[in-house]
Amino acid sequence: MTAYPNWTPASRPGIVPLHPYGFGTILGRSFVALRHNPKVLLGFALVVQAVAYIVLAAAVGAIAVASFSRLDTVAYGGDDWGAIFAGSTVITGAAALVLSLLVGALSVVVQGVVVSEVAHAVVAEKPTLKAVWAGVRPVIWRLIGYSALVVLASLVVVGVLAGIVTLLVISVLWLGILVGVLFVLGLIPLYAWLTTKLFLVPSAIILEGAGIRAGIARSWRLTRRRFWSTFGVIVIISFGFSVLAQLISVPFSLIAGIVPGILAPTGTDEIGAVVGMVVVQVIGQFGILLVQCIALVVQSTSAALVYVDARMRVEGLDHDLHTYVEARDAGATDLADPYLVGVGRVVERPAPVPVGTAPPYAGYGAPAGYGAPAGYGAPAGYGAQAGYGAPTGYGAPAPYGAPPVPAPAWDAPAAGSVTPADRSADDAVSGPATPPPAAPPSPDVAPPAAPTSWAAPGSPTDR
């Protein structure tokens, strides 16, 4: 049944049910989303990440070759050689850092596209990449700015702590090492806590159009009572794909070490051995890149699902999504974005009732004066009914087989207690008094039986 007068077919199911869901649903449907629209999710992410890593490797390699090739122009071990080597190392490292940040910006773009597509998949929509990009493009610079802010804050914190440890090591070695270990141990829970609390910032920026500061506040608020479930999703997905990447990289590393010996057992064909090793490494890196792309998509999908579930529980987003789906399937057009309808509102939901528990009925109390009959125990396997007590004024019934106790007979007034004058006064008011009828004999009491005179045959009494 819908709110529309004409009959409409049932709404198409999305990748998740339109009601609050639990930890297992979020974790499982994060992988299901890959099959919903693989061209947009996996295809786009794989192409962008592959191009980014190829450009990164080529650029860093070209810069390294150009800078370190200057070492051939000077004598080995001299002052000029050391200065050129140090300068080439710094240049190559700085170039790798800058290009890595650019690759990270592309990863943020991929995350934005994935979040937007998952939001459509929740309401059973499968948009094209062009339509998804049209929704992400207005806020893409906010995503990049947020990513840059996170990287800058991380570098500042790590740089300050590293400087403190370095000064302590120069002054007192053991104290610097101890403080450094304590800093590392303290950064682990801090990183886990901040990562969890800020997990929904990209989703808030993309789906609500929030700014960086508003997105941080929204993520902080939505994860207030869902910290551990959100943390569990992050840990399981990150740990699982890290193990998978290691399972791929370790065998290829071993093969890369064996290939040169197989291709050039005497050491004469060095070019073939190098080519074989490079080919094996490229294949291994491509496998790792594929795993990283899938991990990025799955983690972004889980962030979108955690965001939707948190808003369902806090702001009643499930009702907005139901209304949107029914109106869309009924043929309505120009509908408002359901993710912008109830931003910031608070909806109080009733506490969940355990399965098998009868709901309370207001205004109905237990009937007074009824309880469990005295002398009878509760039937095996059944509990006592709440609100029923023992009947007032009734004792335990007589044991089975015993004759019932006869009713008490009417007691006549004692002689002399009623005078003739009292009786005459009573007769004048209510008429002559008649004695109460005698109590009828109880039908359950049998008359006493006559004694038997039976005797055994042959006995003296048998005459």
Side-chain angles (χ1 to χ4, degrees):
M1 296 297 292
T2 64
Y4 299 94
N6 297 328
W7 179 87
T8 56
S11 301
R12 300 186 303 273
I15 61 173
V16 290
L18 296 183
H19 59 73
Y21 32 82
F23 176 80
T25 302
I26 295 174
L27 198 60
R29 298 305 172 91
S30 299
F31 293 89
V32 172
L34 292 173
R35 303 197 305 266
H36 180 262
N37 199 352
K39 185 183 297 185
V40 174
L41 293 180
L42 190 57
F44 176 76
L46 183 59
V47 170
V48 171
Q49 293 289 93
V51 171
Y53 277 106
I54 290 174
V55 171
L56 173 64
V60 173
I63 294 173
V65 170
S67 59
F68 283 99
S69 61
R70 297 175 56 196
L71 295 175
D72 297 334
T73 60
V74 296
Y76 175 77
D79 295 337
D80 294 337
W81 190 92
I84 293 174
F85 180 81
S88 300
T89 303
V90 172
I91 293 173
T92 304
L97 178 61
V98 172
L99 293 176
S100 298
L101 294 177
L102 294 178
V103 172
L106 291 178
S107 300
V108 173
V109 174
V110 172
Q111 186 178 9
V113 171
V114 171
V115 170
S116 180
E117 202 284 330
V118 171
H120 287 282
V122 169
V123 291
E125 296 177 349
K126 187 182 288 187
T128 61
L129 179 59
K130 182 179 180 180
V132 174
W133 176 249
V136 175
R137 184 175 55 190
V139 296
I140 195 64
W141 290 109
R142 300 177 193 175
L143 286 175
I144 296 176
Y146 168 72
S147 178
L149 179 63
V150 171
V151 172
L152 180 62
S154 301
L155 291 177
V156 169
V157 172
V158 173
V160 170
L161 296 181
I164 294 174
V165 171
T166 302
L167 294 177
L168 291 176
V169 168
I170 295 175
S171 301
V172 182
L173 179 61
W174 66 269
L175 181 60
I177 295 175
L178 178 61
V179 172
V181 172
L182 293 178
F183 279 163
V184 171
L185 294 178
L187 286 176
I188 293 175
L190 178 62
Y191 173 78
W193 180 61
L194 291 177
T195 302
T196 305
K197 297 296 292 184
L198 302 177
F199 189 55
L200 306 182
V201 174
S203 300
I205 293 176
I206 296 166
L207 299 180
E208 301 177 11
I212 297 176
R213 182 177 179 181
I216 293 174
R218 286 284 291 166
S219 178
W220 208 276
R221 190 180 308 112
L222 291 175
T223 57
R224 183 170 299 168
R225 297 182 180 179
R226 294 187 52 78
F227 177 85
W228 291 111
S229 59
T230 306
F231 177 73
V233 170
I234 297 174
V235 170
I236 291 178
I237 292 177
S238 301
F239 179 77
F241 281 102
S242 298
V243 172
L244 184 59
Q246 291 299 321
L247 293 177
I248 294 176
S249 63
V250 171
F252 280 99
S253 299
L254 296 177
I255 294 173
I258 298 174
V259 165
I262 296 176
L263 297 179
T266 59
T268 55
D269 192 5
E270 297 181 357
I271 297 178
V274 171
V275 171
M277 183 178 64
V278 170
V279 169
V280 172
Q281 288 289 348
V282 168
I283 296 175
Q285 290 299 319
F286 182 78
I288 295 175
L289 176 62
L290 179 61
V291 172
Q292 290 176 348
C293 290
I294 298 176
L296 176 62
V297 173
V298 172
Q299 191 165 9
S300 302
T301 304
S302 65
L305 294 181
V306 171
Y307 167 83
V308 173
D309 177 64
R311 285 197 59 187
M312 285 181 179
R313 297 177 183 273
V314 178
E315 301 175 354
L317 178 63
D318 48 343
H319 300 290
D320 299 328
L321 296 179
H322 272 293
T323 303
Y324 172 82
V325 170
E326 288 187 356
R328 180 200 63 195
D329 293 346
T333 57
D334 296 333
L335 296 174
D337 189 349
Y339 295 99
L340 298 178
V341 173
V343 175
R345 71 185 176 194
V346 177
V347 176
E348 295 294 338
R349 292 182 177 269
V353 179
V355 177
T357 302
Y361 294 94
Y364 291 91
Y370 289 91
Y376 287 93
Y382 293 90
Q385 296 180 347
Y388 290 89
T392 305
Y394 290 91
Y400 179 76
V405 180
W410 178 79
D411 295 330
S417 59
V418 180
T419 62
D422 296 334
R423 187 177 293 113
S424 300
D426 295 337
D427 292 345
V429 176
S430 59
T434 57
S442 175
D444 298 332
V445 180
T452 58
S453 59
W454 179 86
S459 62
T461 59
D462 187 17
R463 295 290 184 268

